[in-house]
Amino acid sequence: MKHPLFQFEFCPRCGAKGFVGVNEKAKKCTTCGFVYYFNPSAAVACFIKDRADNFLVVKRSKDPAKGTLDLPGGFSDMYETAEESARREVKEETGLDILSLVYLFSLPNIYPYSGFDVHTVDMFFLCEVDSFDVAVAGDDAAEIVIVPKEKLDPEAFGLTSIRQAVRMICADPSCRV
C-alpha cells in the first residue's frame, strides 16, 4: 500500500525534493526538517427530514459515483463549524433552510478527488425542514429524490461512508432519525 502522501515529493515549506515518509501519516523534509502530518479533512452529510418523516436525498451529478444517491453535504470550509458547513451545504444543494440540526455520529472515509484519495471524517447530522416543496437541485446535486425512511436502500448510495450511514440508520429501530 502506498503512503497517503506518495504524490507529494517536495517540501511545502522550503520546496526541496526529499520529502520522505516517517510513518503511515507523516512526511518529513530532509533539508529543513519540516514534518507534515496527513490528518483527515472535515466533511458533513445530512439526513434531511420533513414533518411527514420523509427524507430528501440527492442524485450525484459528478464523479465519484455520478448518478447514485447521496446525502446533501460536502467538505467544511476553513473557519467554518461543522454546523455551519451542514447549513451551507444543504442550502447549496437543495435551496432549503434548516429548522433544526442535530449531530448523529461520524465515520472515517476516503473520498477520491482528481486522482487523489482525500481522507475524511464525515460528520452526520439530522436536519429538519417544514417541507420539501421549494427544494431545487443545485451545486453538485443533479436531482432531488424524496424517500420514506422504510424505503431507503443503502445499496443505492454510491459513496462508502454514506452507504454505511444509511445502513446504520435503517438497521436501528431505536435511532432518533
Side-chain angles (χ1 to χ4, degrees), residues 42 44 74-89 92:
V44 298
F75 289 98
S76 294
D77 289 342
M78 290 188 298
Y79 312 110
E80 186 176 56
T81 67
E83 293 82 3
E84 290 167 338
S85 299
R87 290 181 186 283
R88 176 184 51 76
E89 287 287 348
E92 288 174 3

Side-chain angles (χ1 to χ4, degrees), residues 53-70:
D53 287 333
N54 293 309
F55 285 86
L56 180 149
V57 298
V58 295
K59 193 170 279 189
R60 293 183 60 81
S61 67
K62 300 176 183 174
D63 279 324
K66 181 179 178 177
T68 64
L69 294 183
D70 198 4

